[in-house]
Amino acid sequence: MEHHEQPEPLSPAELAAVRRSAANGRLAMTRRTLLRAGSAMAVAAGGLGALGACGIPPAGRTDAGRSTDHSRAEKRLNFSNWTEYMDVSDNGKRHPTLDAFTRRSGIAVKYTEDINDNDEFFGKVQAQLAAGQDTGRDLIVLTDWMCARMISLGWIQKLDTANLPHAYANLAPQFRDPAWDPGRAHSYVWQGIPALIAYNKKATGGRKVDSVSQLLEDPRLKGRVGFLSEMRDSVGLTLLDMGKSPEDVTADDFDAAIARLQKGVDAKQIRRFTGNDYTTDLDKGDLAACVAWAGDIVQLQSDNPDIEYVIPKSGYMTSTDNLMVPNKARHKQNAERLIDYFYEPKVAARLAAYINYVCPVDGVRDELAKIDKKAADNPLILPDKEMAARSHSFRALNAKESKEFAQKFSDLTGA
């Protein structure tokens, strides 16, 4: 029996989270530039009225999006991605890996940076997908929880493994079987985004900060601690510190984590909840320690030797941005060929050297070392097996849970 979730309006707390994310969330101000955040917020604001809540029932309607594939006759594809999420030539006008793909395959790629926020993009394409219409996009990149939502709605096509030999062989084990897309039937990872603990050793007096407990309880850090405004990362790390599993979080577990964070707020241990703007405070030492995203830390460390990071013994949170083919795409096979191309180690290495997030491709180390040995040796870009084993992800939430959890987190942060 198929289950088709009907999109619901976002609650005020969820709308506030969208605005935070668009203004200074995880993907608004990293990737080598801070200049596009204002325009991203302006774009996002226009789509707020159409947004839906996130609910994850079993996926259904998997055949509804099939359409005639024009790939053989039309050697092109349309690829939508986030800003600053592709390698760029020195003059800033070309994308070398995409150019190389076109030279090899003869497939022209129209590359558009029109994804600024998961919910904003959902609002942009929701009406077309719900009506069974082509969005004009053959390949999109969205974060795991939104991928889960769109797969559950039956809006994403199953991928043909025959067209994905490199992707199938080289996908890193830690990303192979997410609960929201078993066996990667509909998606492949673009990049991984770890959330961990970072500190400024000058601001801590040389002391190491290695746990959420220390963030919340060490009096020497009082008033100089930051947590992220992304619920899944801050609450997820707190759950892990409490011995709870984010993959199986219950409402009671969530409430206990919120209560623990609230205690840190009330005691003024936590200075604030931040988006990417924590990077400036951490760099200056105004924040002594905080929950941080790995891609930011790689970039901060290149300029400030006092910035350190720690993978807590209890584990860390990882989300993923993922490549998917939406329903009614005209060039599905061409899109699959591009997905597979990015799983070739030489290509993946070029991308990893530019982006500095977790590369999901096994066998890339030697190729990356030829380009940037420091990056190849950085576990924030290429996690070793021990680090990968300590990675956790927040389970998919249904619509009711999403609203309730978002409201409780909003009450905590004062957003």
Side-chain angles (χ1 to χ4, degrees), residues 113-127:
E113 295 180 333
D114 64 343
I115 302 178
N116 301 294
D117 174 86
N118 285 283
D119 280 306
E120 179 267 329
F121 184 77
F122 181 87
K124 187 185 299 185
V125 300
Q126 173 183 350

Side-chain angles (χ1 to χ4, degrees), residues 40-261:
M41 183 62 224
V43 172
L48 293 177
L51 304 185
C54 178
I56 313 298
R61 221 172 62 209
T62 54
D63 294 332
R66 290 184 179 176
S67 59
T68 302
D69 192 342
H70 299 268
S71 292
R72 292 184 183 277
E74 300 175 0
K75 294 296 183 181
R76 62 180 184 268
L77 70 92
N78 296 324
F79 181 7
S80 284
N81 203 350
W82 300 72
T83 58
E84 302 298 316
Y85 218 6
M86 182 69 70
D87 60 317
V88 179
S89 60
D90 290 340
N91 65 11
K93 296 182 179 180
R94 307 294 303 176
H95 299 292
T97 55
L98 292 178
D99 291 345
F101 173 77
T102 297
R103 288 194 299 270
R104 180 202 295 185
S105 66
I107 299 170
V109 180
K110 181 181 179 182
Y111 183 71
T112 307
E113 295 180 333
D114 64 343
I115 302 178
N116 301 294
D117 174 86
N118 285 283
D119 280 306
E120 179 267 329
F121 184 77
F122 181 87
K124 187 185 299 185
V125 300
Q126 173 183 350
Q128 291 168 296
L129 289 170
Q133 299 173 353
D134 179 11
T135 66
R137 300 167 177 85
D138 301 299
L139 193 61
I140 59 178
V141 177
L142 293 172
T143 308
D144 43 24
W145 59 269
M146 180 55 77
C147 294
R149 171 169 170 69
M150 295 186 74
I151 291 171
S152 76
L153 287 165
W155 291 353
I156 302 299
Q157 296 194 53
K158 281 190 174 181
L159 300 173
D160 185 348
T161 56
N163 297 325
L164 298 161
H166 296 97
Y168 184 81
N170 295 336
L171 178 62
Q174 78 175 100
F175 300 121
R176 281 191 172 270
D177 196 32
W180 52 269
D181 188 22
R184 289 285 173 186
H186 304 82
S187 66
Y188 269 87
V189 178
W190 177 246
Q191 300 289 296
I193 307 100
L196 36 78
I197 292 174
Y199 63 97
N200 184 319
K201 62 185 179 183
K202 184 175 181 181
T204 65
R207 294 187 300 277
K208 183 178 182 180
V209 181
D210 60 5
S211 70
V212 170
S213 292
Q214 191 173 355
L215 289 177
L216 291 174
E217 299 168 9
D218 188 339
R220 295 170 294 186
L221 300 176
K222 185 173 181 177
R224 298 186 296 151
V225 169
F227 277 77
L228 292 171
S229 58
E230 293 286 345
M231 177 190 74
R232 288 165 178 81
D233 291 327
S234 287
V235 174
L237 281 168
T238 304
L239 287 165
L240 289 171
D241 191 71
M242 297 166 64
K244 302 290 186 179
S245 169
E247 290 86 351
D248 304 308
V249 60
T250 65
D252 288 343
D253 292 338
F254 185 86
D255 288 347
I258 291 292
R260 191 169 183 217
L261 289 166

Side-chain angles (χ1 to χ4, degrees), residues 258-275:
I258 291 292
R260 191 169 183 217
L261 289 166
Q262 185 67 60
K263 185 176 179 180
V265 170
D266 294 342
K268 302 190 184 307
Q269 181 78 5
I270 297 175
R271 184 186 185 109
R272 62 192 183 103
F273 290 82
T274 74

